[in-house]
Amino acid sequence: MLVKLVLIIHFLAFSAGIGLAIAGTILRKVAGSGSPENAAILMPLGGRFGRVSRGCVVLLWLSGLALLGLVHGFDLSGLGLWFWLKMLAVLVLTGAVTMIFLAERKIAAGDASARAMIPRYARIAGPAAMVAVVLAILAFSGD
């Protein structure tokens, strides 16, 4: 039962993380193309979405490691190529999310030029997340 609970947490964290990332991207586009008044209201929401999305990535790492321990006893020897390719996609995702976080910190410190980094890394994070899911299915489907 514990494995199922951790797996549920893992799937919910992924769903919430990707959903909030997509919503944040849409929000930034709408805020950037609208009036300054709307931007002032919408931009802080995008930042909140980003913080929760980053928390979801942390939860994915924690629940993924828990699953690795519960299901495989941390034995990495039999996990296969699909697992390692999935982990590569997860590392790319984590790197992109980290770069977005660092850009947001620069913006908060007054470096407006860092704003251009966010869409660039978001375009990496989204596909990396999708690739990680596909590779996870290939790695763990049992076929």
Side-chain angles (χ1 to χ4, degrees):
M1 187 62 176
L2 181 58
V3 171
K4 289 181 182 178
L5 176 62
V6 175
L7 192 57
I8 289 168
I9 291 168
H10 197 69
F11 288 156
L12 289 176
F14 178 80
S15 299
I18 196 70
L20 286 167
I22 291 167
T25 300
I26 293 168
L27 205 66
R28 280 188 200 81
K29 282 194 180 285
V30 170
S33 64
S35 68
E37 295 82 19
N38 285 344
I41 295 168
L42 296 176
M43 289 306 275
L45 288 174
R48 287 187 184 110
F49 288 176
R51 283 189 293 279
V52 176
S53 188
R54 275 192 302 280
C56 290
V57 171
V58 171
L59 190 54
L60 280 165
W61 272 101
L62 295 174
S63 59
L65 289 171
L67 287 166
L68 185 62
L70 289 167
V71 175
H72 299 281
F74 294 107
D75 180 11
L76 305 177
S77 62
L79 292 174
L81 178 63
W82 293 123
F83 172 81
W84 293 109
L85 291 173
K86 178 195 86 80
M87 290 309 300
L88 179 61
V90 169
L91 288 172
V92 170
L93 168 64
T94 303
V97 167
T98 300
M99 294 306 293
I100 292 169
F101 170 71
L102 294 174
E104 288 172 344
R105 288 191 59 170
K106 287 181 178 182
I107 294 165
D111 182 359
S113 67
R115 191 171 305 281
M117 291 172 51
I118 293 174
R120 185 176 319 144
Y121 289 113
R123 284 191 295 271
I124 295 169
M130 299 302 171
V131 167
V133 169
V134 170
L135 292 170
I137 291 167
L138 294 171
F140 299 116
S141 65
D143 295 341

